[in-house]
Structure formats: C-alpha cells, structure tokens
Amino acid sequence: MRVEIVTKCFSPELELATFSRNSAVGAVASFTGYCRDEGGVVERLELEHYPGFTEAQIDHLAASVVARHSLIDALVIHRVGAIPAGEPIVLVAASSAHRAAALAAINELMDYLKSEAPIWKKEIGAHGDVWVEPTVRDYRAAACWRRVQEEESV
Amino acid sequence: MAKVLFFGRLRDRAGLGEREVALSEVVALAVFRHLASAGDDDLEAALAAPSVRIAINATLAPSDAACSVWPSDEVAFMPPFSGG
C-alpha cells in the first residue's frame, strides 16, 4: 500500500504502469480526479493539508479499505498546493483477485477522501476565492460505508 | 508555549496559519480557544462551531468537554475536510 501527498503535477499513467504487478492480481481498478474549470469560471484550486497528520489519516482510511476488500495492493496519490484546471488532483488504485473488490474499494476510498481526509480546497477564479466544503451527499456516502463496516463486524 | 494551527477558511479568518500561545499551566479547551483567538470574538465563535474538528498533537480530539491543553501541545483547528 502506498499513500503519498505530492506538491507537483504527477502522471496517473506512469503511476499505474508500475502499480501492483504480480501474478496473484486479477483486477486493477483506478480513478483519477482532475481540476475542472466549470465552464471557464475556475482558474485553479488551492489545496492545503496538515503535514504528517493528513498522511497518517489517509493511511488509516486506506488500510481499513484494503482489509475490508481483501485487496492485494492499494495506491493513493493526492496533490496539494496550486492546481491549474485540467491537471490531476488525485489518483486512487486498487488491485485484487477479482474485479468486484477493486471497483468497490476505489469507490469507498474516494468517498472517504471527500469528507474524511484532512485536506482543504479553495476554488480561485472569476467568482473570487471560495472554500469548498463536503456536500450532504459526500457525508452520506462516507457514513454509508461506515454502516456497512459496522454491520460486517457484528 | 502551545502552538495553534489554523486550516482552510479558519486560516483566512485568523489571517495567519499558526500562532504561539503562552501557557503556564494546563487549561480547558474552551479557555484555550479564547487565548488562541487573541481577542477576536468572531474568530473565537468560528473556532467553536460544531463542524470544526480539533487535533491535539496530531490526534483527533474526542470531544470538547474532555479536552485539556498543556503548555507544550500543538492544537489544530480544522474546518470540514474537502479532499478528493
């Protein structure tokens, strides 16, 4: 498992090319999130994190997803700092024996990152500077995975 | 000296990312919040919002009532997260 916070642009393609190559792997699923310009309104995002704490929290979230889905490996790369529209923000990848586990795991990882990873995102653009906060849907999605976890542990 | 860290919109609100607070003894979190706001009532209210999470020495604090701050602590005030 690898969790990394980066401050420069990264290549999702290059990262995936070297992710989890071994003969036990039957499925690799991944998701890349990009900075969108919202029709020319957003120029860039500025993301900040709490060095050390953010990595530890994401590590903890990723480890619980790896265990729950019996993944072979997982990868989370999250960029912080100034991110111009069009560039990648986040890459999550999961490898497993079969596709269902890998697909469910990246969905769950993204839901956690949206509302439970200590990262703060500000949109900079034509409408001024706006702090982005999780939506009700984001909180519900993360809570939903928590419920599944609790039910499984009973 | 205790260290205070402000993140996200709280950093903008405070006008700085960190500040030091002179403490000679352990204090309750509510008292610390007052000291950390340095006389800015609006900032103190913003720090007390239910959506603000607190980490003491990089560990999420369980609940407001149970928290104390020691002179060497690092206390982070964190508005809702928005990763991904």
Side-chain angles (χ1 to χ4, degrees):
Chain A
M1 189 183 92
R2 187 175 138 223
V3 169
E4 210 179 324
I5 300 288
V6 298
T7 54
K8 293 202 165 71
C9 194
F10 65 96
S11 162
E13 294 78 16
L14 284 180
E15 296 293 345
L16 286 172
T18 55
F19 172 67
S20 199
R21 288 297 158 96
N22 77 56
S23 57
V25 171
V28 172
S30 72
F31 170 84
T32 306
Y34 291 87
C35 175
R36 57 180 188 272
D37 71 359
E38 304 281 10
V41 172
V42 175
E43 177 198 315
R44 66 179 191 279
L45 291 173
E46 281 182 8
L47 277 74
E48 62 176 284
H49 76 305
Y50 182 178
F53 180 69
T54 301
E55 289 87 337
Q57 291 294 113
I58 297 177
D59 226 74
H60 178 73
L61 294 171
S64 74
V65 171
V66 166
R68 241 169 53 70
H69 295 281
S70 304
L71 298 181
I72 293 167
D73 201 1
L75 170 69
V76 178
I77 298 177
H78 207 303
R79 187 173 165 193
V80 295
I83 306 178
E87 293 191 2
I89 304 168
V90 62
L91 168 69
V92 299
S95 66
S96 56
H98 303 283
R99 76 187 145 94
L103 287 168
I106 56 163
N107 227 351
E108 184 171 347
L109 271 169
M110 281 309 302
D111 283 335
Y112 282 146
L113 287 175
K114 285 272 175 202
S115 62
E116 297 192 23
I119 290 172
W120 298 273
K121 188 189 283 162
K122 188 195 252 181
E123 283 179 0
I124 316 281
H127 295 330
D129 301 357
V130 182
W131 285 103
V132 179
E133 300 212 337
T135 60
V136 172
R137 198 216 72 88
D138 293 332
Y139 282 123
R140 278 198 191 131
C144 180
W145 291 112
R146 288 260 175 264
R147 267 199 304 281
V148 172
Q149 234 170 332
E150 279 160 20
E151 280 163 16
E152 283 179 357
S153 66
V154 168
Chain B
M1 282 288 187
K3 190 184 200 181
V4 190
L5 302 175
F6 299 113
F7 289 99
R9 61 177 161 76
L10 294 175
R11 173 201 288 267
D12 281 356
R13 185 65 200 73
L16 42 81
E18 62 179 82
R19 126 179 329 150
E20 292 200 320
V21 172
L23 280 188
S24 53
E25 55 180 7
V26 59
V27 295
L29 182 62
V31 174
F32 186 76
R33 213 161 27 218
H34 179 71
L35 297 171
S37 328
D40 181 338
D41 294 343
D42 289 345
L43 176 60
E44 187 175 347
L47 297 182
S51 63
V52 171
R53 281 188 261 196
I54 290 149
I56 299 180
N57 300 323
T59 300
L60 273 177
S63 80
D64 198 274
C67 287
S68 302
V69 178
W70 294 76
S72 59
D73 282 350
E74 176 178 282
V75 182
F77 291 96
M78 304 181 289
F81 306 154
S82 55

